[in-house]
Amino acid sequence: MSKLLVTTGFLFLSIFGFSQDTLSISKSDLKQKVSEKNMQIKIAQKNYQSAQADFRQSNALFLPDISISYTGMATTNPLMAFGSKLNQEILTQSDFNPALLNDPKTTQNFATKIEIKQPLLNVDGIFGRQAAKAKMEAFQLQTQRTQEYVELEFSKAYMQLQLAYKAVRVLEKAESTAKTNLKLVENYFKQGLLQKTDVLNVQVRVNDISNQLQYAKSSVQNASDYLAFLLNEDAKGKTFKPSEELDNTIQVEAINTQLSDNRKDIQAMDKSSEAYQKMMVMSKMNFLPRLNAFGSYELYDSQFLGTAAKGYLVGAQLSWNVFDGYKSIGKYDKAKADFQKATIETEQYKKQSQLELSKTNRQLKDAENKVGLSQMAFKQSEEVYRIRQNRFTQGLEKTTDLLTAETQMIQKELEHLQAVFEYNYTQQYLQFLTQ
């Protein structure tokens, strides 16, 4: 009785505890979900936010720097003690006694200081702000391009899942056909019309198809897991199933094959070059003087939180770093080289993009031709199998010929489905390259 309960328990777990949930999904419904949850898009958004924060820091070029401090101290230092009393406005005639000046008593001083620094003219900072803005815009464009790429990758993953399910159905049908042929061959063998080797050959074929079917089912799970990864979802215990099936035909559309300068990644490269150009000018403007204003309001007292004495300070400073040991010159040379490098990289990227576009355009034409040929080959292989199967039932064909025709038919159908997938993906990739 206990063995029966244990066996029943394991059977229950195998059926319910480890079963996979199959979820029907629609491409249109998941597209927005990918844009919101994909980790690669989130990383790109954080890069943009980081660049945006760098640009906000450049507001310091126009806005004041305000700080407040409160200091308390006790000293017997002659200079500090005299200065503290002077700031507190409590000096008397007796404080000028040389003995007290040289050996003062412990003097307490509490100071509140409000300090303001206001930039007035910093030419290098202006170009630094422009560089930060160009960098921010480059990351914004790159984020948009990343989203377009993830949408393309999602579309590819969805079509791969459709292809995997289609392959499973083809192989399931092939397995059913192979088993039917096996029964027919076994009946002929029992009647003495065929040899044992014929039966074994068909059994090998059935096992081979079953093995292919298992691999196809694993491909379904692999494609489902990758789709879940793009959606940033836990794939454990679930399998996605597309609500739309992979079509056996293609829709040929005319696509503009000219590289557009409005492509987000190309615009991002141009903005990146602009940022380096502004950095170069900023390094050059570093040789010019800077003009800044400053001011402070101070409160002093010998008691904690006291404000008996008050005073302010206002001024302006014109500073010019005439020579810093070639440090500024080296920075300018480096910024210039970085700008020239960015310009060359942008030009190279545009040429590579045009090369990829031309290559993909040829691939699309090849894929269209492949779809037509594979469809014709599949139809022909179907007809060959039908003829050989009819002749086999009449005893006019060998078992090996029937198996060869069956293998060829399945292979050609799978090849046709793969060709359709390749054409559809290449078409979408071409649109991605030209948008």
Side-chain angles (χ1 to χ4, degrees):
M1 182 66 181
S2 60
K3 291 183 179 180
L4 178 60
L5 290 174
V6 171
T7 304
T8 306
F10 277 114
L11 181 61
F12 179 85
L13 288 174
S14 63
I15 295 175
F16 297 99
F18 302 102
S19 62
Q20 290 282 104
D21 292 332
T22 301
L23 305 177
S24 179
I25 55 174
S26 171
K27 184 176 180 180
S28 57
D29 294 339
L30 293 180
K31 191 173 182 180
Q32 182 64 30
K33 195 173 184 181
V34 169
S35 300
E36 294 173 354
K37 300 184 65 176
N38 182 263
M39 290 183 288
Q40 191 172 353
I41 293 177
K42 288 183 178 181
I43 292 173
Q45 290 172 343
K46 293 305 175 184
N47 287 333
Y48 166 66
Q49 291 173 7
S50 176
Q52 192 177 40
D54 287 338
F55 176 66
R56 285 202 188 105
Q57 292 181 41
S58 66
N59 289 334
L61 181 65
F62 309 108
L63 301 178
D65 181 358
I66 304 174
S67 62
I68 301 176
S69 64
Y70 186 80
T71 306
M73 70 175 187
T75 181
T76 57
N77 181 283
L79 183 60
M80 295 295 294
F82 185 82
S84 296
K85 286 186 176 182
L86 186 61
N87 284 331
Q88 294 170 14
E89 302 176 1
I90 59 174
L91 278 177
T92 63
Q93 188 67 34
S94 61
D95 291 318
F96 289 92
N97 185 346
L100 292 177
L101 286 174
N102 293 325
D103 189 18
K105 297 179 181 180
T106 301
T107 302
Q108 291 183 337
N109 185 52
F110 295 92
T112 302
K113 187 175 183 180
I114 304 173
E115 192 172 13
I116 300 177
K117 298 177 182 179
Q118 175 63 55
L120 296 179
L121 181 61
N122 295 277
V123 181
D124 58 334
I126 294 175
F127 286 96
R129 176 178 171 84
Q130 293 176 359
K133 183 179 181 181
K135 177 185 174 184
M136 178 189 68
E137 292 172 346
F139 273 105
Q140 184 179 28
L141 291 166
Q142 194 61 48
T143 299
Q144 296 172 1
R145 187 60 175 175
T146 300
Q147 184 167 350
E148 292 173 353
Y149 171 76
V150 170
E151 289 176 356
L152 172 69
E153 193 67 13
F154 163 72
S155 181
K156 178 184 177 182
Y158 191 84
M159 288 190 296
Q160 285 176 331
L161 189 61
Q162 289 177 315
L163 178 63
Y165 271 102
K166 197 78 171 180
V168 167
R169 282 192 287 273
V170 169
L171 291 170
E172 284 176 344
K173 179 182 176 182
E175 185 182 41
S176 176
T177 302
K179 288 180 178 179
T180 301
N181 289 335
L182 177 59
K183 290 181 180 180
L184 181 63
V185 170
E186 286 176 342
N187 289 333
Y188 285 168
F189 172 70
K190 291 176 182 178
Q191 296 172 16
L193 300 177
L194 295 175
Q195 299 179 358
K196 182 64 176 179
T197 54
D198 294 317
V199 179
L200 293 175
N201 283 333
V202 178
Q203 288 176 340
V204 168
R205 177 57 184 161
V206 171
N207 293 335
D208 184 47
I209 294 178
S210 298
N211 188 45
Q212 292 182 43
L213 179 59
Q214 183 57 43
Y215 275 107
K217 290 180 179 179
S218 296
S219 298
V220 167
Q221 190 61 51
N222 292 337
S224 177
D225 290 347
Y226 182 61
L227 196 58
F229 167 75
L230 292 178
L231 293 168
N232 195 19
E233 290 190 356
D234 185 9
K236 187 177 181 180
K238 68 173 68 171
T239 303
F240 290 126
K241 182 177 182 180
S243 57
E244 306 95 349
E245 288 191 2
L246 180 68
D247 200 350
N248 291 345
T249 59
I250 61 173
Q251 294 181 354
V252 180
E253 297 179 2
I255 300 177
N256 179 24
T257 57
Q258 293 296 321
L259 184 66
S260 174
D261 289 335
N262 294 326
R263 221 172 73 176
K264 298 297 187 298
D265 54 338
I266 293 179
Q267 288 182 323
M269 292 290 290
D270 289 335
K271 282 294 180 181
S272 179
S273 296
E274 180 183 343
Y276 278 109
Q277 190 262 343
K278 297 298 182 183
M279 291 290 290
M280 181 189 69
V281 178
M282 182 189 74
S283 298
K284 190 175 182 179
M285 295 299 106
N286 194 38
F287 295 103
L288 298 179
R290 298 182 181 89
L291 179 62
N292 299 294
F294 58 89
S296 64
Y297 184 72
E298 303 166 8
L299 305 170
Y300 297 97
D301 203 291
S302 60
Q303 302 297 322
F304 179 66
L305 297 180
T307 59
K310 304 176 180 62
Y312 69 87
L313 174 67
V314 177
Q317 181 186 46
L318 180 66
S319 60
W320 192 356
N321 192 348
V322 179
F323 182 71
D324 57 3
Y326 286 101
K327 183 178 179 180
S328 296
I329 296 175
K331 284 185 176 180
Y332 171 72
D333 291 340
K334 182 179 184 301
K336 183 178 180 181
D338 289 340
F339 167 61
Q340 292 172 344
K341 175 186 173 184
T343 303
I344 296 172
E345 286 178 342
T346 301
E347 187 66 24
Q348 181 189 40
Y349 186 78
K350 290 180 179 179
K351 290 183 177 180
Q352 285 180 336
S353 299
Q354 182 60 59
L355 186 66
E356 180 70 11
L357 182 59
S358 301
K359 174 185 172 183
T360 305
N361 187 43
R362 289 190 292 269
Q363 287 178 337
L364 183 65
K365 294 179 180 178
D366 293 340
E368 180 182 351
N369 185 57
K370 184 178 180 181
V371 169
L373 293 176
S374 63
Q375 186 177 26
M376 184 184 303
F378 171 54
K379 290 181 178 180
Q380 291 171 345
S381 64
E382 273 188 316
E383 183 63 18
V384 170
Y385 175 72
R386 185 188 66 79
I387 293 173
R388 289 193 181 277
Q389 187 180 40
N390 290 337
R391 288 174 59 83
F392 178 76
T393 55
Q394 298 171 8
L396 300 176
E397 288 285 347
K398 296 179 181 179
T399 307
T400 54
D401 294 335
L402 178 65
L403 294 177
T404 300
E406 180 194 11
T407 303
Q408 186 182 47
M409 179 184 66
I410 297 171
Q411 179 183 356
K412 294 304 177 183
E413 184 173 6
L414 294 175
E415 286 179 357
H416 175 60
L417 293 174
Q418 180 67 30
V420 171
F421 164 79
E422 290 176 0
Y423 177 84
N424 290 335
Y425 172 70
T426 304
Q427 187 181 58
Q428 293 188 11
Y429 183 55
L430 188 61
Q431 291 173 345
F432 169 75
L433 293 176
T434 55
Q435 69 184 98

